[in-house]
Amino acid sequence: MATAKPLYDRLSKNITAYPPEEAREMAFMLLDHYFGFRKTDVLTDKPLPPNRTEPDWFKILERLNRQEPIQHVIGTTIFCGLEFEVSPDVLIPRPETEDLVRLIMHDFADRTDDVPIVDIGTGSGCIAITLARFLPQSVVTGWDVSDEALTLAQRNADHLNADVIFEIQDILNVPADFSRRFDCVVSNPPYVTRSEAADMDRNVLDYEPDLALFVEDNDPLVFYKAVADFCVRHLTKDGSCYVEINERFGEATRQVFADRGFTKIQVYKDIHGKDRSIRATF
């Protein structure tokens, strides 16, 4: 009878493009995705399902060893406990962004009236959909410039039974007659400078969309300026803006909001002690 532990050992041994610890985590992820096995199932050597459809492990290992992200290989990732479809058209949601979402949920948890929210650069829809799911009073809109991203985000919303309005919209070119207002503006915009690309891993550079990653070195805060300008016109009096940031520009990004009249600006650090997000209110 085939069991989990020998398969896990074989997979982790043959994922050679990553350090052993990462390879072992990927092997666990594969067994979870294809068989629903948790780590305890693997460690106790649970029998594999007798009528299973066996994946093409050779092709899977080949893709992983080309450093294609495992989230693309299996087609999904977990964000705030929810399973999202991902593809090369969107950024893979990251744990740091979960912290930003949890901050928003904490801040608006006690609201009983409607909370209009806009997620600028929604990508997979992970921020917008999670807020719609866990803040029942929220009325969420997700913006992106990519038709492909919005199509995927809508599939995620449908799959997760989340009520989100997705719209194609460029924060750098919001129409002058736009009049809606929001209690919460949130964005995880492109913030990696082109000069930082040399230090990035292939699994990001080769497989995630440039459009969602990079800004030019001569204006690295272009999207934060646009978001802050948008908030001046469209954030409600007691509303808040939340953005994920480049660790190199924490103080400079804080100053962008200060220059536009925000008086309460908090810079939050990630688990590594690096500047990672900002909450700003007037």
PDB file of all heavy atoms in Angstrom, residues 184-203:
ATOM      1  N   CYS A 184     -12.503  53.891   3.632  1.00  0.00           N
ATOM      2  CA  CYS A 184     -11.226  53.169   3.639  1.00  0.00           C
ATOM      3  C   CYS A 184     -10.681  53.098   2.226  1.00  0.00           C
ATOM      4  O   CYS A 184     -11.349  52.592   1.329  1.00  0.00           O
ATOM      5  CB  CYS A 184     -11.421  51.758   4.222  1.00  0.00           C
ATOM      6  SG  CYS A 184      -9.961  50.686   4.094  1.00  0.00           S
ATOM      7  N   VAL A 185      -9.476  53.606   2.043  1.00  0.00           N
ATOM      8  CA  VAL A 185      -8.736  53.454   0.791  1.00  0.00           C
ATOM      9  C   VAL A 185      -7.530  52.587   1.106  1.00  0.00           C
ATOM     10  O   VAL A 185      -6.750  52.897   2.017  1.00  0.00           O
ATOM     11  CB  VAL A 185      -8.286  54.819   0.229  1.00  0.00           C
ATOM     12  CG1 VAL A 185      -7.391  54.625  -0.988  1.00  0.00           C
ATOM     13  CG2 VAL A 185      -9.502  55.680  -0.120  1.00  0.00           C
ATOM     14  N   VAL A 186      -7.380  51.486   0.388  1.00  0.00           N
ATOM     15  CA  VAL A 186      -6.261  50.575   0.636  1.00  0.00           C
ATOM     16  C   VAL A 186      -5.568  50.267  -0.681  1.00  0.00           C
ATOM     17  O   VAL A 186      -6.211  50.167  -1.731  1.00  0.00           O
ATOM     18  CB  VAL A 186      -6.733  49.267   1.330  1.00  0.00           C
ATOM     19  CG1 VAL A 186      -7.805  48.559   0.537  1.00  0.00           C
ATOM     20  CG2 VAL A 186      -5.554  48.333   1.597  1.00  0.00           C
ATOM     21  N   SER A 187      -4.241  50.129  -0.617  1.00  0.00           N
ATOM     22  CA  SER A 187      -3.496  49.831  -1.838  1.00  0.00           C
ATOM     23  C   SER A 187      -2.183  49.132  -1.505  1.00  0.00           C
ATOM     24  O   SER A 187      -1.494  49.495  -0.541  1.00  0.00           O
ATOM     25  CB  SER A 187      -3.197  51.114  -2.618  1.00  0.00           C
ATOM     26  OG  SER A 187      -2.559  50.814  -3.851  1.00  0.00           O
ATOM     27  N   ASN A 188      -1.870  48.125  -2.309  1.00  0.00           N
ATOM     28  CA  ASN A 188      -0.536  47.523  -2.321  1.00  0.00           C
ATOM     29  C   ASN A 188       0.007  47.751  -3.731  1.00  0.00           C
ATOM     30  O   ASN A 188      -0.019  46.863  -4.575  1.00  0.00           O
ATOM     31  CB  ASN A 188      -0.612  46.033  -1.988  1.00  0.00           C
ATOM     32  CG  ASN A 188       0.747  45.365  -2.007  1.00  0.00           C
ATOM     33  OD1 ASN A 188       1.776  46.026  -1.969  1.00  0.00           O
ATOM     34  ND2 ASN A 188       0.757  44.042  -2.090  1.00  0.00           N
ATOM     35  N   PRO A 189       0.494  48.971  -3.985  1.00  0.00           N
ATOM     36  CA  PRO A 189       0.845  49.348  -5.362  1.00  0.00           C
ATOM     37  C   PRO A 189       2.222  48.831  -5.755  1.00  0.00           C
ATOM     38  O   PRO A 189       2.979  48.317  -4.915  1.00  0.00           O
ATOM     39  CB  PRO A 189       0.844  50.875  -5.282  1.00  0.00           C
ATOM     40  CG  PRO A 189       1.340  51.153  -3.899  1.00  0.00           C
ATOM     41  CD  PRO A 189       0.761  50.060  -3.036  1.00  0.00           C
ATOM     42  N   PRO A 190       2.598  48.972  -7.020  1.00  0.00           N
ATOM     43  CA  PRO A 190       3.976  48.667  -7.411  1.00  0.00           C
ATOM     44  C   PRO A 190       4.937  49.555  -6.621  1.00  0.00           C
ATOM     45  O   PRO A 190       4.755  50.771  -6.575  1.00  0.00           O
ATOM     46  CB  PRO A 190       4.005  48.997  -8.903  1.00  0.00           C
ATOM     47  CG  PRO A 190       2.569  48.950  -9.341  1.00  0.00           C
ATOM     48  CD  PRO A 190       1.779  49.420  -8.162  1.00  0.00           C
ATOM     49  N   TYR A 191       5.962  48.944  -6.012  1.00  0.00           N
ATOM     50  CA  TYR A 191       6.903  49.771  -5.250  1.00  0.00           C
ATOM     51  C   TYR A 191       8.351  49.304  -5.331  1.00  0.00           C
ATOM     52  O   TYR A 191       9.241  49.893  -4.699  1.00  0.00           O
ATOM     53  CB  TYR A 191       6.482  49.900  -3.792  1.00  0.00           C
ATOM     54  CG  TYR A 191       6.387  48.632  -2.973  1.00  0.00           C
ATOM     55  CD1 TYR A 191       7.499  47.862  -2.665  1.00  0.00           C
ATOM     56  CD2 TYR A 191       5.154  48.226  -2.441  1.00  0.00           C
ATOM     57  CE1 TYR A 191       7.408  46.730  -1.879  1.00  0.00           C
ATOM     58  CE2 TYR A 191       5.047  47.091  -1.654  1.00  0.00           C
ATOM     59  CZ  TYR A 191       6.175  46.349  -1.363  1.00  0.00           C
ATOM     60  OH  TYR A 191       6.081  45.229  -0.574  1.00  0.00           O
ATOM     61  N   VAL A 192       8.642  48.283  -6.103  1.00  0.00           N
ATOM     62  CA  VAL A 192      10.019  47.812  -6.252  1.00  0.00           C
ATOM     63  C   VAL A 192      10.680  48.630  -7.361  1.00  0.00           C
ATOM     64  O   VAL A 192      10.165  48.694  -8.487  1.00  0.00           O
ATOM     65  CB  VAL A 192      10.062  46.316  -6.599  1.00  0.00           C
ATOM     66  CG1 VAL A 192      11.516  45.848  -6.739  1.00  0.00           C
ATOM     67  CG2 VAL A 192       9.337  45.495  -5.550  1.00  0.00           C
ATOM     68  N   THR A 193      11.815  49.248  -7.065  1.00  0.00           N
ATOM     69  CA  THR A 193      12.496  50.037  -8.090  1.00  0.00           C
ATOM     70  C   THR A 193      13.247  49.118  -9.051  1.00  0.00           C
ATOM     71  O   THR A 193      13.649  48.006  -8.699  1.00  0.00           O
ATOM     72  CB  THR A 193      13.500  51.016  -7.454  1.00  0.00           C
ATOM     73  OG1 THR A 193      14.471  50.280  -6.712  1.00  0.00           O
ATOM     74  CG2 THR A 193      12.781  51.990  -6.535  1.00  0.00           C
ATOM     75  N   ARG A 194      13.428  49.594 -10.258  1.00  0.00           N
ATOM     76  CA  ARG A 194      14.123  48.792 -11.279  1.00  0.00           C
ATOM     77  C   ARG A 194      15.525  48.387 -10.818  1.00  0.00           C
ATOM     78  O   ARG A 194      15.994  47.285 -11.119  1.00  0.00           O
ATOM     79  CB  ARG A 194      14.223  49.578 -12.579  1.00  0.00           C
ATOM     80  CG  ARG A 194      12.889  49.855 -13.257  1.00  0.00           C
ATOM     81  CD  ARG A 194      12.346  48.616 -13.928  1.00  0.00           C
ATOM     82  NE  ARG A 194      11.004  48.853 -14.485  1.00  0.00           N
ATOM     83  CZ  ARG A 194      10.267  47.910 -15.053  1.00  0.00           C
ATOM     84  NH1 ARG A 194      10.729  46.674 -15.128  1.00  0.00           N
ATOM     85  NH2 ARG A 194       9.068  48.187 -15.516  1.00  0.00           N
ATOM     86  N   SER A 195      16.188  49.250 -10.077  1.00  0.00           N
ATOM     87  CA  SER A 195      17.547  48.946  -9.628  1.00  0.00           C
ATOM     88  C   SER A 195      17.575  47.812  -8.611  1.00  0.00           C
ATOM     89  O   SER A 195      18.620  47.185  -8.402  1.00  0.00           O
ATOM     90  CB  SER A 195      18.208  50.191  -9.039  1.00  0.00           C
ATOM     91  OG  SER A 195      17.469  50.655  -7.923  1.00  0.00           O
ATOM     92  N   GLU A 196      16.441  47.532  -7.962  1.00  0.00           N
ATOM     93  CA  GLU A 196      16.388  46.436  -6.989  1.00  0.00           C
ATOM     94  C   GLU A 196      16.224  45.073  -7.653  1.00  0.00           C
ATOM     95  O   GLU A 196      16.380  44.040  -6.998  1.00  0.00           O
ATOM     96  CB  GLU A 196      15.224  46.652  -6.011  1.00  0.00           C
ATOM     97  CG  GLU A 196      15.400  47.848  -5.093  1.00  0.00           C
ATOM     98  CD  GLU A 196      14.185  48.059  -4.205  1.00  0.00           C
ATOM     99  OE1 GLU A 196      13.238  48.737  -4.651  1.00  0.00           O
ATOM    100  OE2 GLU A 196      14.194  47.553  -3.072  1.00  0.00           O
ATOM    101  N   ALA A 197      15.923  45.049  -8.927  1.00  0.00           N
ATOM    102  CA  ALA A 197      15.670  43.786  -9.623  1.00  0.00           C
ATOM    103  C   ALA A 197      16.873  42.851  -9.568  1.00  0.00           C
ATOM    104  O   ALA A 197      16.716  41.629  -9.513  1.00  0.00           O
ATOM    105  CB  ALA A 197      15.271  44.050 -11.070  1.00  0.00           C
ATOM    106  N   ALA A 198      18.071  43.405  -9.567  1.00  0.00           N
ATOM    107  CA  ALA A 198      19.282  42.576  -9.577  1.00  0.00           C
ATOM    108  C   ALA A 198      19.387  41.699  -8.339  1.00  0.00           C
ATOM    109  O   ALA A 198      20.053  40.656  -8.365  1.00  0.00           O
ATOM    110  CB  ALA A 198      20.517  43.465  -9.690  1.00  0.00           C
ATOM    111  N   ASP A 199      18.722  42.095  -7.259  1.00  0.00           N
ATOM    112  CA  ASP A 199      18.794  41.340  -6.003  1.00  0.00           C
ATOM    113  C   ASP A 199      17.591  40.425  -5.792  1.00  0.00           C
ATOM    114  O   ASP A 199      17.468  39.813  -4.728  1.00  0.00           O
ATOM    115  CB  ASP A 199      18.900  42.311  -4.820  1.00  0.00           C
ATOM    116  CG  ASP A 199      20.155  43.176  -4.884  1.00  0.00           C
ATOM    117  OD1 ASP A 199      21.203  42.631  -5.284  1.00  0.00           O
ATOM    118  OD2 ASP A 199      20.072  44.366  -4.547  1.00  0.00           O
ATOM    119  N   MET A 200      16.713  40.335  -6.775  1.00  0.00           N
ATOM    120  CA  MET A 200      15.493  39.557  -6.608  1.00  0.00           C
ATOM    121  C   MET A 200      15.656  38.138  -7.149  1.00  0.00           C
ATOM    122  O   MET A 200      16.466  37.883  -8.031  1.00  0.00           O
ATOM    123  CB  MET A 200      14.325  40.264  -7.310  1.00  0.00           C
ATOM    124  CG  MET A 200      14.000  41.614  -6.696  1.00  0.00           C
ATOM    125  SD  MET A 200      12.717  42.489  -7.604  1.00  0.00           S
ATOM    126  CE  MET A 200      11.285  41.453  -7.259  1.00  0.00           C
ATOM    127  N   ASP A 201      14.854  37.228  -6.604  1.00  0.00           N
ATOM    128  CA  ASP A 201      14.909  35.830  -7.012  1.00  0.00           C
ATOM    129  C   ASP A 201      14.227  35.627  -8.354  1.00  0.00           C
ATOM    130  O   ASP A 201      13.293  36.354  -8.725  1.00  0.00           O
ATOM    131  CB  ASP A 201      14.230  34.939  -5.964  1.00  0.00           C
ATOM    132  CG  ASP A 201      14.983  34.932  -4.644  1.00  0.00           C
ATOM    133  OD1 ASP A 201      16.213  35.124  -4.674  1.00  0.00           O
ATOM    134  OD2 ASP A 201      14.340  34.736  -3.594  1.00  0.00           O
ATOM    135  N   ARG A 202      14.673  34.584  -9.068  1.00  0.00           N
ATOM    136  CA  ARG A 202      14.094  34.271 -10.375  1.00  0.00           C
ATOM    137  C   ARG A 202      12.609  33.962 -10.278  1.00  0.00           C
ATOM    138  O   ARG A 202      11.838  34.268 -11.192  1.00  0.00           O
ATOM    139  CB  ARG A 202      14.809  33.060 -10.974  1.00  0.00           C
ATOM    140  CG  ARG A 202      16.087  33.363 -11.721  1.00  0.00           C
ATOM    141  CD  ARG A 202      16.566  32.119 -12.441  1.00  0.00           C
ATOM    142  NE  ARG A 202      15.561  31.592 -13.353  1.00  0.00           N
ATOM    143  CZ  ARG A 202      15.543  30.339 -13.802  1.00  0.00           C
ATOM    144  NH1 ARG A 202      16.459  29.495 -13.401  1.00  0.00           N
ATOM    145  NH2 ARG A 202      14.611  29.953 -14.648  1.00  0.00           N
ATOM    146  N   ASN A 203      12.185  33.312  -9.189  1.00  0.00           N
ATOM    147  CA  ASN A 203      10.775  32.921  -9.107  1.00  0.00           C
ATOM    148  C   ASN A 203       9.851  34.133  -9.029  1.00  0.00           C
ATOM    149  O   ASN A 203       8.653  34.009  -9.272  1.00  0.00           O
ATOM    150  CB  ASN A 203      10.525  31.960  -7.942  1.00  0.00           C
ATOM    151  CG  ASN A 203      10.861  32.556  -6.591  1.00  0.00           C
ATOM    152  OD1 ASN A 203      11.455  33.631  -6.500  1.00  0.00           O
ATOM    153  ND2 ASN A 203      10.506  31.854  -5.535  1.00  0.00           N
TER     154      ASN A 203
END
